[in-house]
Amino acid sequence: MPARPHNTALATILLIDDEPDILELLKYNLNKAGYATQLAFNGAEGLEKTRKIKPDLVILDIMMPGLDGVFVCKAIRAEEPIAHTPIIMLTAKMNEESEVLGLEAGADDYLTKPVSPRLLVSRVQAVLRRTQKLVDGPQVLQFPDIEINREEYVVRLQGKPIKLPKKEFELLFLLASHPGTVFTRDELLEEIWGSDVYVVVRTVDVHVRKIRRKIGETRIETVKGVGYKFITPTIG
Amino acid sequence: MTQALYMSGNILYVPARNLRNPIQTEFLAAEGFVFYQIRHGEEKVPEQWSSEPYVILLEMEAFDPEFIRNVPQFRAALGAYRIPILALVGPTRLPLPQEAIRQEAEALDSGIDAYLQKPISFTRLVARLRVLLRRTPTPSNPLYSCQHAPTIPR
């Protein structure tokens, strides 16, 4: 079981390859692992579909007629808002030079054909796990009297900076990313500590208590028997 | 973009106790990487670590199933829940490639982020370290900072 499993039911993977048989094989194995897939049969179509569907991950062949994989990878990296899309290159080129070239073009991983289905899924899972948290949304949450800045790992309460330890910061950031949404303790444990860590759910309570001491009692509300939610601060 | 793709950063190097031929970190240091070192079982994040990007480089003499199973505990001991780990493993003498694939998949499923077998060239190792480093969010690594994304999907 992966350490912090990506929610495969929500992940869409765009497969770009000019060989239909390869596409079918990839599609079959990834669908079987619970991922949704979209197909593109050349580089230009792949780039267009990346813009259109904004996949959670792209698996990209290098050697294709027209726009090759390296070009497509660089084009994706140069274009907001798709620049952060995780990319795995999958190619028949089994030399180091090609791998380094692919990675330096912006790929997150590089696999050679033929790839074992098990390894394919494990690599996909690893890349999604590693990249998911960083591409999800804004890094600065701005409310009327509080700013939660993940770039600087600092909270500013009415302009005054407050430093929180990493776990407390991540917990606050997650709650504040979804104002009004209730998170169960288990959800918070999973998101902040990961399913690989052996901590009890009451750890969440301790961290929430510490956060409240620093930013005020009213911003994180306890939903009895369920969990916690962030209350959007108001002025006046 | 160029800065992000070619960036260097802090590496926490964790060689196994029984390691006979560790990598030459001096060569990597010459590429701009800054090394901190601890040994297996001495998990404590160096105080110098701050918000700068970092990767854990874990070097093993051979695939160690017990250690791999305990990667979550290793992360917990370091407080390194989201720090990418690159495992560098000694050359395999496995008779079947399927066995090597199984080992790599097992390592990845346990929370290792990248798995490489020696012998590995310096160039390839540097490229792999940079791949992991450039996903670390910092103010100086703007490529993957997505301030324009409207909401965080649940």
Side-chain angles (χ1 to χ4, degrees), chain A residues 50 55-58 76-77 81-87 108, chain B residues 135 144:
Chain A
T50 306
D56 296 293
L57 177 83
V58 170
I76 291 172
R77 288 285 174 260
I82 56 171
H84 51 75
T85 309
I87 297 172
D108 294 285
Chain B
R135 284 290 187 181
Y144 301 108

Side-chain angles (χ1 to χ4, degrees), chain B residues 7-108:
Chain B
M7 67 189 299
S8 294
N10 295 344
I11 308 289
L12 181 64
Y13 178 53
V14 189
R17 287 183 187 280
N18 61 348
L19 196 62
R20 288 195 292 269
N21 296 303
I23 56 158
Q24 302 296 307
T25 55
E26 297 84 358
F27 291 116
L28 289 168
E31 283 288 309
F33 295 103
V34 178
F35 276 86
Y36 302 101
Q37 182 170 334
I38 58 171
R39 288 206 167 265
H40 281 197
E42 297 170 1
E43 286 84 7
K44 189 174 176 240
V45 178
E47 282 178 12
Q48 301 93 320
W49 280 29
S50 60
S51 58
E52 290 303 306
Y54 42 74
V55 165
I56 294 170
L57 175 58
L58 182 66
E59 189 173 10
M60 291 182 269
E61 188 65 30
F63 181 82
D64 178 348
E66 192 183 336
F67 181 83
I68 292 298
R69 273 195 297 274
N70 289 316
V71 165
Q73 287 86 338
F74 173 77
R75 282 190 180 278
L78 278 172
Y81 303 99
R82 291 180 185 171
I83 299 175
I85 299 177
L86 190 158
L88 193 57
V89 183
T92 181
R93 292 182 188 83
L94 296 169
L96 295 171
Q98 289 93 325
E99 187 60 12
I101 287 168
R102 188 193 59 74
Q103 290 183 348
E104 177 173 350
E106 201 176 307
L108 294 171

